[in-house]
Amino acid sequence: DAGVIQSPRHEVTEMGQEVTLRCKPISGHDYLFWYRQTMMRGLELLIYFNNNVPIDDSGMPEDRFSAKMPNASFSTLKIQPSEPRDSAVYFCASSFGTVNTEAFFGQGTRLTVV
Amino acid sequence: GDSVTQMEGPVTLSEEAFLTINCTYTATGYPSLFWYVQYPGEGLQLLLKATKADDKGSNKGFEATYRKETTSFHLEKGSVQVSDSAVYFCALASRGSARQLTFGSGTQLTVLP
């Protein structure tokens, strides 16, 4: 398996524009997580899905953020409208099964909002 | 709620030095504990894990022991290499709550030749 695949790797956009980040989890994994990483706040869990259903979105910072998982092999994180303070690295991760199993991370999308 | 407290960085060592990165946690019940490593420009990778008290996780010369009595999971390596330079994250997954990982703030390690 190629691992968790995220696209794009880098995104530069202007304030106010819509941004969509994409993630393909590892086949067979039933959990998918979206994290945001910044110098100031470290790694923050934004939302996670189990079997394509959102379970906890309490980490989503504002209504400008939304996430979907239309099927087991694809998820999106959308920011509309984007703001400079959204600049960060966004990671997608997937895992399978019990709490003991590891989460596999994608390489991340570095978002810069100017 | 669950939390992980990690040793503040950055940490700079010479090659072949001994490494310790401290990690303590607060959680309900008996969580599973993990160390993840992040190399520059990459996502996080699992380094090692321990799922119950007194378990020792080990990988690539790194070790950490699950200490319930001190709620700790300190990372150690006897002789670091330049290639170990990375950011190290301690994390827990609590059995009694939702499935997600709770991460520490990360410790930047730089190993000089």
Side-chain angles (χ1 to χ4, degrees):
Chain A
D1 201 313
V4 176
I5 300 172
Q6 291 187 246
S7 64
R9 289 293 309 275
H10 303 274
E11 177 80 39
V12 180
T13 190
E14 292 185 346
M15 183 174 62
Q17 296 298 305
E18 177 180 296
V19 175
T20 299
L21 312 181
R22 296 173 175 80
C23 174
K24 176 178 167 53
I26 292 173
S27 177
H29 281 190
D30 55 351
Y31 284 87
L32 183 139
F33 308 85
W34 281 102
Y35 288 89
R36 178 172 69 176
Q37 185 179 40
T38 62
M39 289 292 292
M40 290 297 294
R41 301 173 68 91
L43 266 170
E44 303 172 275
L45 177 67
L46 301 178
I47 185 171
Y48 80 97
F49 297 81
N50 177 218
N51 292 321
N52 313 337
V53 176
I55 302 301
D56 185 352
D57 66 354
S58 59
M60 298 286 260
E62 299 171 37
D63 291 346
R64 299 183 295 106
F65 286 71
S66 63
K68 294 182 179 179
M69 193 165 185
N71 57 62
S73 59
F74 184 65
S75 177
T76 60
L77 178 68
K78 185 177 295 186
I79 309 172
Q80 165 63 22
S82 58
E83 296 184 3
R85 59 195 168 116
D86 302 330
S87 298
V89 181
Y90 291 81
F91 287 104
C92 175
S94 70
S95 68
F96 173 75
T98 72
V99 70
N100 294 331
T101 57
E102 67 179 286
F104 291 81
F105 282 74
Q107 291 188 296
T109 296
R110 181 173 295 278
L111 173 66
T112 303
V113 183
V114 297
Chain B
D2 297 345
S3 67
V4 176
T5 302
Q6 239 182 280
M7 173 178 169
E8 291 288 327
V11 174
T12 302
L13 297 173
S14 298
E15 204 164 25
E16 299 184 3
F18 185 85
L19 169 70
T20 300
I21 301 178
N22 290 338
C23 171
T24 58
Y25 65 89
T26 302
T28 52
Y30 302 101
S32 294
L33 302 174
F34 305 82
W35 277 100
Y36 281 79
V37 59
Q38 184 180 28
Y39 298 102
E42 301 292 323
L44 280 71
Q45 304 171 25
L46 180 69
L47 181 60
L48 53 84
K49 69 179 182 183
T51 59
K52 61 183 187 296
D54 300 324
D55 267 3
K56 177 185 284 188
S58 61
N59 186 26
K60 300 180 181 178
F62 290 89
E63 294 183 339
T65 301
Y66 189 139
R67 301 287 189 200
K68 186 165 74 75
E69 63 276 13
T70 54
T71 62
S72 65
F73 194 54
H74 305 320
L75 182 68
E76 297 182 336
K77 186 174 185 182
S79 176
V80 293
Q81 305 300 311
V82 173
S83 57
D84 294 327
S85 299
V87 181
Y88 292 82
F89 292 90
C90 186
L92 69 83
S94 182
R95 300 169 196 281
S97 64
R99 174 63 180 81
Q100 69 267 30
L101 288 164
T102 300
F103 284 93
S105 56
T107 301
Q108 171 76 56
L109 170 66
T110 301
V111 180
L112 303 176

